[in-house]
Amino acid sequence: MLGVPFALVWVVLGLSCILAGKVNKHKPWIETSYHGVITENMDTVLLDPPLVALDKDAPVPYAGEICAFKIHGQEAPFEAVVLNRTSGEGVLRAKGPVDCETQKEYTFIIQAYDCGAEASGASWKKSHKAVVHIQVDDVNEFSPVFREPMYHASAMEGKIYDSILQVEAWDQDCSPQYSQICNYDIVTSDTPFAIDRNGNIRNTERLSYDKKQRYKVMVTAFDCGQKRATESVAVHIDVKPVCKPGWQGWNKQVDYEPGTGSKQLFPKMHLETCDGPLSAVRAMVELQTSHIGKGCDRETYSEKSMQKLCGAASGSTDLLPAPSVSTNWTASLLTDSGRDSDLIFNFDGRQAANVPERVVPQNLTDQFTIATWMKHGPSPGLRAEKETLLCNSDKTEMNRHHYSLYVHNCRLVFLLRRDFTQVDTFRPAEFHWKLEQICDKEWHYYVINVEFPAVTLFVDGVTYEPYLVTDDWPIHPSSIDTQLTVGACWQDLTSWSCNDHENGEESAQNYTGGSCGEVSTPRFTQFFRGSLSGLTIRPGRIETQKVISCLQACKEGLDIHSLESLGKDIKFHFNPAQSVLVMEGEDLESVNTAMAKVSYINSRQFPTAGLRQLHITTTVQCFGEDICISIPDIKALVMVLPPSEPRITIAGSDQLVRPAADLRGAMGVAPFKELRITSTVTKGDGVPFSAGGPGVLEAMHNLDYCDVLVIGEELNPEQESLEIHHSSLMGKHLDATNSTSGISIYGVDSMAHYEEALRQVRYRNWRPATLTNRRFRLTCSELNGRYTSNEFNLEVSLVHNTAPVEHVNHMAVQSQYMRSVHHPLMVHSVNSHISGTPPAATVVVVICIAALVCIVVLGIYRLHSTHQDSSKSEEDGAKEPEMDWDDSTLTITVNPMEVRGHYTKEFPEKALHWSEAEKERKFK
């Protein structure tokens, strides 16, 4: 019995030995990487994930337990400690103080070891290697410190700086939170300075050297952890007196006397830069004249006269003439005479005018020109309505627009619909331009040249092509009349009206009985809001750019006196109107010399008096900088003095006595054959002098019309005429019209040409026996009545057995400010021919009676032959009016002043009266 247990013990012991060799068969397991954070000067590391080792041998003692964590790397100041062998928990600790400023991060290898198979720790197994990353958290232990012990800067008085100087502080902490400087602050109170978070110090008000020459400002700094600098830093700012850079030596007002040519505006002006290291100077001089007439001082002659002066082709139609008897369609429009009789029509969105059919050009071909002056601004509100300047549309029914010119959303649009008789394909029909000038509320000259299918727009002489062209089909031919309108478009609004039904249009269309039909309501639509002047159409030809530039050219502007003396290093540029001059130079002395030569010029002989503003802006560039010196703008004035008023004097014989045969002759008589026209101006203080005396100068200038009015009864076309042959006007810028009220010669031309033309005026009377006397009144004008002559009266009478006697007219000239009333007048004759009987009259009567007796006796003797001669004489006398010279080239049109369009608010149109029969015939 003792042997069996002993054997069993040995078996158990043997199995135990075999099993002991297989107990520690697994390695410990840990994560492959760990991330830890440790605050500097602390010893515990916070790991993510926590340090834990696992072993599959658990819960076998020793083999399933963790005995150690080992760190590989001698430089790592950390150690790993096992907190619980059974659970495998551990902790990572610093061996000594950790300083972020020394090292911010650590990386090393760690492994876990189990306890082996026995208590002795034999046969430990180790885990795989894991990477550990540890970041050292910073502690805000340092305060900001300024890099400089003191700062010094200077600032010019009177200048606002973005930055006078910049201070800078730094922090020894390692982290961005505690090492960055987040804010600066000025400790000193009540100082005219401020500092931003970047340390830039600027002045909050203009400094004055006289008030304070030096400022001491204490500045502190804060890091992003709001730790303040231990010591503030002192900033010293010196105020430097400045020499005030800018233009010096100029006058605020320059007086300009008309007729003096080019006058220097700033002869002694120079630029002070206070010795700044400049590299370039740019100055812009702007002459502001938008308040004068149509944007500057231009000639104010009539549109037709200007076209002749500029060499424009004839045949243009004025759609906005001055209101008169024959041009009454503009009478209801609002007008503004502006300055110098410059006729302007204002449209406020309620007025428009229908152009009579007799005036509308009927032969618009593939070539024609539309021109106008326009001043327009954006429409009020958000409405996108069309604003029509010119529109040719159906008068009734279809309301088709054949051609029109309108503004839409500050775009200029020209519509041209061709007829099927001209073209039958899809063709360009609408041309669009988008320009700033259309809505800038300034005057501009617009010319549209049509060379179908091309359409070109000129604005102030500059060419613009349309940015958009849309096509359309031609208009089908119809018998509907068209209506040309200005300031709106004519539209016929047609609606149905039924007395017995209330079912609307559908019912009306199906209605077969009762009272029902169309109601036509023609009216204006698409009203224009702005100002127009000189709206014309020229069919058959387009205008040249040379003529367009002449028609819109300003007569005043900037100039450079002695242009050839400018240095080569000066660059200058004028805008087309010469109202803006830009000069650039690198040398200050050259720029000063150039600016001293800037001049004002006004080529009008009688310019518009008043103020013109000058604006000068200057920029100075320094080496390496964009703009280093601020130059104040200059605002000055040019005062154009009133021109010397001309005294236009008409002189000559005031009585013409001629035999009846001269009046019956084919050429008649020339009443103004010895006419003289002179003009004088008084220089100085305006005190009148005797002719030719000191201060009086003869002035040669143009006239724009001369009118010969019949005083008393109008001419009887059955027996008398007042005419001028067309050949007398050849080679001159003159035209003539006549009627039974007289004759008018008009056009801008010299006084000498007017003299020549007036001397060719002929008066004929082929029945002078009925003539007692015929009186005429002659007046001449310059600038549409701005300056007028004296009224020169002349009397034509027959010889009554006395020698012709001529008396020189010494009539005093009107006041130089007097204007002629230029409208249809009936000047009634005054019976001023009162004769007295001289003492020798009795003798003359006796002699005449004796002579009469002798004539009677001789008459009886030759009665038969005398009767034959008398019959022949009567027959010739009856035919004498037909012996007139060929006057087929004579211009016989409407009333002369109505054609010219001489009109202003203050001086109504002056015209000659027609007889009632002629009026009925002309206006029928």
Side-chain angles (χ1 to χ4, degrees), residues 901-921:
H902 295 308
Y903 174 85
T904 66
K905 265 189 173 181
E906 300 177 39
F907 319 112
E909 180 184 0
K910 181 177 179 181
L912 305 173
H913 260 312
W914 283 323
S915 65
E916 292 300 320
E918 179 136 349
K919 289 180 184 177
E920 181 178 357
R921 178 170 56 85

Side-chain angles (χ1 to χ4, degrees), residues 119 144 208 260 270 407 424 647 655 797 826 833:
S208 172
T260 56
H270 64 278
V407 174
D424 58 356
R647 293 171 67 98
Q655 187 171 3
S797 58
M826 173 60 74
H833 198 72

